[in-house]
């Protein structure tokens, strides 16, 4: 027997939550408004979006007023998985440990330790720590516990990735030249005091609005850039060097970190972590 279709109101609440979190980040007001309008039109729609999606795919969802390619993809993801990767990421920025507590056997104390010791703010971060062996080195985590966490991560992220519009490929990402241009614009405008400043929740006991944030668009991508506010960045004194750039287009959401290289042939240059080879090629071009 098929499970009942997810209600339009349930999907609308997810879209509204995304709008609220984007607004708290001082995101582009047109983007915030698009999520709110889509939620309102979805509630008034005479058809059940989940049923339409099952019959007609994402094309059918575009019959909802205010819903284009990007939002139809988001609604499809909610219908398919019950969640939305973008919302997970936004909520992780608000309260990183809450994402880790979704895994079996991880309570508030352990989630806080994993965040502080590994810098994990998302399931993807914890997956990487499991892959490179750092998770197994966390004191008090036995082999069985580590394997249980790894299996749970694989299951949760596997479902999310299966329902993305396309697999992650190099072509799905902005090129490093564009990312470095966004990084340069962010740091220059932040230094001149031209950017809106937000009050991050982490490592900010006085709730000061100290963190500059930039929203811009280049080459068909929308970007949000801000200095890293992780424990590791604070411990190493890199909060004015490491720049986290979030980017999205259509159904593709991802992020990268731009830093100043300290070793090798690119020492002293700005590089995109994980894409050093492309940065070297750009440097000699």
């Amino acid at each position: 027997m098929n499970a009942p279709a997810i209600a339009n109101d349930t999907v609308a609440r997810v879209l509204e939550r995304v709008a609220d979190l984007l607004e708290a980040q001082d995101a582009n007001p047109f983007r915030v408004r698009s999520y709110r309008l889509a939620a309102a039109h979805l509630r008034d729609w005479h058809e059940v979006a989940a049923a339409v999606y099952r019959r007609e795919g994402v094309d059918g969802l575009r019959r909802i007023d205010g819903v284009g390619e990007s939002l139809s993809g988001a609604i499809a993801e909610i219908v398919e998985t019950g969640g939305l990767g973008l919302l997970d990421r936004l909520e992780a920025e608000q309260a990183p440990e809450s994402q880790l507590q979704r895994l079996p056997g991880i309570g508030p104390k352990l989630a806080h330790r994993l965040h502080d010791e590994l810098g994990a703010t998302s399931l993807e971060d914890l997956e990487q720590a499991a892959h490179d062996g750092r998770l197994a080195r966390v004191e008090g985590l036995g082999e069985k516990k580590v394997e249980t966490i790894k299996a749970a991560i694989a299951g949760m992220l596997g479902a999310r990735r299966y329902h993305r519009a396309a697999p992650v490929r190099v072509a799905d990402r902005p090129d490093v030249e564009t990312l470095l241009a966004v990084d340069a614009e962010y740091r220059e405008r932040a230094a001149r005091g031209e950017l809106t400043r937000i009050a991050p929740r982490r490592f900010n006991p006085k709730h000061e609005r100290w963190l500059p944030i930039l929203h811009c668009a280049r080459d068909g991508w929308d970007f949000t850039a801000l200095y890293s506010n992780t424990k590791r960045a604070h411990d190493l004194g890199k909060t004015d060097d490491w720049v986290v750039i979030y980017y999205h287009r259509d159904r593709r959401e991802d992020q990268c970190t731009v830093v100043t290289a300290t070793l090798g042939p690119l020492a002293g240059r700005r590089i995109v972590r994980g894409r050093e080879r492309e940065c070297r090629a750009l440097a000699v071009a």
Side-chain angles (χ1 to χ4, degrees), residues 91-114:
E91 289 188 329
E93 292 168 25
Q94 294 289 310
E97 294 94 336
S98 67
Q99 292 298 301
L100 307 184
Q101 290 178 53
R102 297 170 59 193
L103 296 168
I106 296 185
K109 290 184 179 180
L110 179 54
H112 184 74
R113 284 180 55 208
L114 294 175

Side-chain angles (χ1 to χ4, degrees), residues 16-29 31-33 36 90 94 198 209 213 215:
E16 287 171 338
R17 177 62 176 157
V18 169
D20 290 343
L21 293 174
L22 286 172
E23 189 171 46
Q25 284 190 349
D26 286 330
N28 186 309
R31 189 180 181 204
V32 174
R33 186 169 180 268
R36 290 220 167 97
L90 291 169
Q94 294 289 310
I198 62 174
R209 297 176 69 88
I213 187 167
H215 301 292

Side-chain angles (χ1 to χ4, degrees), residues 45-63:
W45 207 34
H46 62 284
E47 297 186 71
V48 177
V52 171
Y53 172 66
R54 288 171 184 169
R55 289 195 316 266
E56 306 172 33
V58 291
D59 288 340
L61 298 176
R62 291 174 194 157
R63 292 194 278 109

Side-chain angles (χ1 to χ4, degrees), residues 232-246:
R232 185 165 178 77
H234 282 276
D235 288 345
L236 296 177
K238 297 293 186 179
T239 52
D240 60 352
D241 183 272
W242 295 358
V243 175
V244 181
I245 300 177
Y246 299 99

